[in-house]
Amino acid sequence: MLRPPPRLALTLARLCLFGDEVLIRSNVTARNNMTPLDQHKLEVIRSCVKVVYGLEDGPELDLVWARCKTAIQQKCKHLRYFHRLDAKKPMALRSTRGGGRPFDRDDDG
């Protein structure tokens, strides 16, 4: 079963094209003195969504792409919020949310 288009767009943005650290410092619209996300990379995400879901250029793709951009924008805001919370905590209590690396674990447990 396919993921919803906004979920696919988020996965591509976080894991393939930008990463959490870039998303924390940026946003889609370049508002509020934030750095805009690279438009070429956003266009790659749009093309992937278009191909995977078999969408043609037109109102349907525009609507789906607007939802994808909103999802990416909200993820940027979400990551910044948790990044600020983690920055206020002592180092030993910081979580892996907000772009941190997961805890190192042995395969045994």
Side-chain angles (χ1 to χ4, degrees), residues 14 23 28 48 81 84 87 92 100 106:
R14 286 188 80 187
L23 293 176
V28 175
C48 288
Y81 175 77
R84 278 195 302 270
D106 293 338

Side-chain angles (χ1 to χ4, degrees), residues 37-50:
L37 291 171
D38 184 342
Q39 293 301 308
H40 297 293
K41 290 181 180 179
L42 288 173
E43 194 59 38
V44 168
I45 295 172
R46 184 178 186 273
S47 297
C48 288
V49 168
K50 179 181 172 182

Side-chain angles (χ1 to χ4, degrees), residues 3-20 23 45 48-49 53 68 71-72 75:
R3 293 177 170 208
R7 181 78 183 240
L8 175 64
L10 278 176
T11 301
L12 291 171
R14 286 188 80 187
L15 301 179
C16 300
L17 296 172
F18 295 112
D20 285 349
L23 293 176
I45 295 172
C48 288
V49 168
Y53 292 94
C68 292
I72 294 170
K75 181 53 74 174

Side-chain angles (χ1 to χ4, degrees), residues 2 23 41 44 46 56 62 67-68 70 75 80 83 90 94 101 104:
L2 289 176
L23 293 176
K41 290 181 180 179
V44 168
R46 184 178 186 273
E56 298 293 325
D62 293 341
R67 288 185 14 234
C68 292
T70 299
K75 181 53 74 174
R80 278 193 297 277
H83 182 71
R94 290 187 184 177
R101 290 185 298 253
D104 290 329

Side-chain angles (χ1 to χ4, degrees), residues 69-104:
K69 288 193 306 184
T70 299
I72 294 170
Q73 183 74 8
Q74 289 299 315
K75 181 53 74 174
C76 291
K77 189 184 281 189
H78 176 84
L79 290 172
R80 278 193 297 277
Y81 175 77
F82 281 106
H83 182 71
R84 278 195 302 270
L85 286 182
D86 277 351
K88 292 179 183 178
K89 291 181 185 178
M91 184 61 93
L93 298 177
R94 290 187 184 177
S95 72
T96 60
R97 294 182 106 171
R101 290 185 298 253
F103 295 109
D104 290 329

